Amino acid sequence: MSRLPEVFKRCKSEKRAALIGYLTAGDPDVNTSKDLLLTLAKQVDILEIGMPFSDPAADGPVIQAASERALASGTHISDVFKLAQTVREANPDIGIVLMGYANTPFVLGFDNFSKQAVSAGVDAVLLVDIPPEEGYLCDPIFKQYGLDRILLLSPTSTDERIKLANKHASGFIYYVSLNGITGANIGEMTSIRQKVDNIRTHTDLPVCVGFGVKTPQQASEVAEFSDGVVVGSHFVGQIPAHARESQNMTTAINHAAQAMKMAIQA
Amino acid sequence: MTTDFIYDLSIKHAPDAGGHFEANGTLFGGRFAAETLMQPLQEIEQAFTDAWADPEFHAERLDLLKNYVGRATPLYHAKHLTAEVGGAQIYLKREDLNHTGAHKVNNTIGQALLARRMGKKKVIAETGAGQHGVATATVAAMFNMQCDIYMGREDIRRQAPNVFRMKLLGANVVPVDSGTATLKDAVNEALRVWVANCEDTYYIFGTAAGPHPFPLMVRQFHTVIGQEARAQCLEQAGKLPDVAVACVGGGSNAIGLLHPLQDDDIRLVAVEAAGHGLESGEHAAALAKGKPGIIHGSLSYLLEDEEGQIQGTHSISAGLDYPGVGPELAAMMEAGRLELDSATDDDALQAFQVLTKAEGIIPALESSHALAAGMRIAANMQPNQIVLINLSGRGDKDLNTVMDKLGFQDDTQGVST
């Protein structure tokens, strides 16, 4: 069973938004990645673990480079599951989401993929290039395994599409704050808020906001009107910035996550 | 003055409402796109549906195809080549004679008209060999649209003349360094740019792949090839061809030729780039050596490893150097309606020279793959049979590559008279 409902319930009882942090599994290599994921997991409510892919067409330069580092250092999908499991063993209550592209579970087989994900302690899956319309491939299987299916909504999503997403999504709705790729500059806060409010009229699921949240100030503003704040590129960017010394990398991610956490709780 | 060719504007073998081409229980195609692109793609689909039902759209499109592009392109009975090969009669569909030198312009005219109908002022496109980039830059110049072409750095190096042509036409050529710096990465980058600019920008997708409605739309714009060839063959030879052959990268010229022939009793052959050989691991034969996967918005055959990472490809021809293939061709293969063949780099180079010397026609290296396989097939057939080969483009752009490979020495220099 997915832990996501419990996570959001807990955050709600503490009267705050959830902090959702992303790192790519295997970035810059499997061993370092394990330390980084364990560090970030201690600070967040939900950890998104990216599955490295050769052709990340929805990602900006920062996360593209993360995928390239992970693949170049020999990260396999089996490592991704192992890393998820390690994080789970150390953190029984956080939410864990696997994030990536359709081809990874498609080639593995959705059944096989789901089985391994659940046994690693994963709660949910976010596949950026499987919209509700193509959900026939994964929805029944994820449901059977009790995995939540996170769906994205964006500024271009019409009311009709919001309703469609609500019908197919579980866990939470991930609102992409801008028309663009990961790591771009965040959109205008008033319009993000309006869209989130609009989405809420169509769904009872928690609505989280991501793509472009880079500063604690932005996180704090987004936290005011959303159920969760997703931070990805800002954390991933610490890895190349501290490439010489993995200890510094861990420290940098820890500091960056603490700052975001404080901003959200304030 | 010749009479205008009458095209069949009905849409045959349409995919389902979601853009799926079903074969053996697999739904090829579809719309595997990021949420941000779903609404823009629906808008394009709606615009295409409206346009296709609008006689004025076709009147303008067909007028441009006739008077700007030069359609109908000839069907040429290559008697000298036929004599050299010995076997079936070889007919060449002369897409190389289109304005801009390849079939690609059939599609860019259609999509640029669509972009204009939708009020978009800016177009972007990906390109591999540069032919689609040139065809896009050409129509953008004519329609006075801003135009950015995304091209892998490696392809820019291989296809310098086309890069210069695009720049002359006023397009901005944006080098792509990510991944393998070839066509697939150019598509990724164009998708990223489109996501961020979908409100004012139209993405002119260059092949019959990508998310729905591109495979359907690109096919419809290219079926002029097969429709003309079918009628011309009947007129010239008094019968239909026995075999129709086209090269396949993404598959736009192949689906354009083969789609209108699929309900006839004709063998349809798709020729993939075998690079250094199908067993070498260095090729671009997605149908022969790939397996189903999802990339660039659709489900189709794909060269990928056992974990779904897309593999690097190799072909002497940049236009075939792509790890995927259009979903409709994949479905046709799966359904047993498409025969697979392939040609290596060396086969293509050989065919390139044979046609040039036999007929005085310099083919594109892409088309040389179709020629190589087509000649092989013809050699094993009877003289009363017909092999139709799509000569999808001309070879001027490839002269540097061929000079390199053949070790061309300019022996006119230094000769005293």
Side-chain angles (χ1 to χ4, degrees), chain B residues 360-412:
Chain B
I361 298 171
I362 302 179
L365 280 174
E366 289 77 15
S367 322
S368 299
H369 286 73
L371 279 166
M375 291 191 296
R376 222 162 37 214
I377 292 166
N380 291 314
M381 292 170 61
Q382 299 305 313
N384 63 349
Q385 294 181 297
I386 295 174
V387 172
L388 164 66
I389 302 173
N390 202 14
L391 197 64
S392 55
R394 69 174 184 228
D396 308 47
K397 70 183 175 62
D398 296 313
L399 295 183
N400 286 338
T401 306
V402 176
M403 271 194 268
D404 237 29
K405 291 282 171 194
L406 299 182
F408 176 75
Q409 300 278 320
D410 188 350
D411 55 12
T412 61

Side-chain angles (χ1 to χ4, degrees), chain B residues 256-272:
Chain B
L257 178 77
L258 303 178
H259 186 269
L261 305 177
Q262 67 178 311
D263 297 324
D264 296 304
D265 184 19
I266 300 174
R267 285 170 58 195
L268 309 180
V269 181
V271 185
E272 294 188 295

Side-chain angles (χ1 to χ4, degrees), chain A residues 54 56 76 103 134 157 161, chain B residues 20 31 35 294 304 309-310:
Chain A
S54 55
H76 292 280
N103 207 40
E134 308 293 349
S157 304
R161 295 202 57 78
Chain B
H20 303 106
R31 187 178 280 161
E35 173 63 23
I294 297 165
E304 57 194 344
Q309 308 295 352
I310 311 307

Side-chain angles (χ1 to χ4, degrees), chain B residues 108 112 120-127 132-150 165-167 169-174 193 200-202 204:
Chain B
T108 58
K120 310 284 183 189
K121 300 260 187 293
K122 181 171 178 180
V123 294
I124 58 170
E126 83 294 343
T127 197
H132 175 58
V134 167
T136 302
T138 298
V139 296
M142 182 181 53
F143 286 131
N144 192 25
M145 289 168 160
Q146 200 186 327
C147 176
D148 286 351
I149 304 292
Y150 293 84
R165 287 167 82 192
M166 288 184 268
K167 288 185 175 170
L169 289 160
N172 179 28
V173 180
V174 186
V193 171
D200 67 347
T201 301
Y202 183 99
I204 300 189

Side-chain angles (χ1 to χ4, degrees), chain B residues 1-5 66 71-72:
Chain B
M1 163 159 167
T2 55
T3 46
D4 287 358
F5 189 90
K66 182 185 172 195
R71 299 206 78 91

Side-chain angles (χ1 to χ4, degrees), chain A residues 52-57 59 64 68 71 76-77 103 106-107 128-129 131 133-134 152 154 156-158 161 179-180, chain B residues 20 27 30-32 34-36 38-39 42 179 184 188 192 195-196 199 292-294 304 306-310:
Chain A
F53 183 49
S54 55
D55 291 75
D59 283 302
Q64 282 176 52
E68 284 180 18
L71 292 174
H76 292 280
I77 186 68
N103 207 40
F106 180 81
V107 168
V128 287
D129 51 352
E133 284 87 342
E134 308 293 349
L152 300 165
S154 78
T156 57
S157 304
T158 55
R161 295 202 57 78
N179 288 343
Chain B
H20 303 106
L27 297 177
R31 187 178 280 161
F32 291 89
E35 173 63 23
T36 311
M38 292 302 281
Q39 187 63 22
Q42 273 169 19
K184 80 172 175 74
N188 290 335
R192 290 179 189 121
V195 166
E199 273 164 25
I294 297 165
E304 57 194 344
E306 64 284 357
E307 295 183 14
Q309 308 295 352
I310 311 307

